Amino acid sequence: MLHHILTIVRPLVVLDVETTGTDTKADRIVEIGFQQWTADGMAKEWRSLVNPGVPIPKSATKVHHINDETFERCRH
């Protein structure tokens, strides 16, 4: 899809993070990921959860659908 919108000559990497909020000094990352695009389309994709070590506010969960229980399930 992206390669139909943009003329990609060299590989393009799109980085995305999900956080516990928007306060750059206090909030923490809960997920990080990237996609690598070429002229032919998406070549690579990767993502990983990152336990923030603090409770995830419901307002953040409404945006990215990651909550405290997500990390509880990962421990079992």
Side-chain angles (χ1 to χ4, degrees), residues 17-65:
V17 295
E18 302 298 344
T19 66
T20 58
T22 58
D23 183 338
T24 58
K25 294 185 190 240
D27 287 314
R28 300 184 183 181
I29 293 173
V30 296
E31 183 180 45
I32 187 166
F34 78 85
Q35 292 179 335
Q36 180 184 13
W37 291 82
T38 66
D40 297 326
M42 188 170 44
K44 294 180 184 175
E45 182 175 35
W46 175 85
R47 63 184 245 189
S48 182
L49 291 170
V50 178
N51 189 333
V54 297
I56 301 171
K58 291 182 187 211
S59 58
T61 297
K62 285 182 182 179
V63 174
H64 51 55
H65 308 287

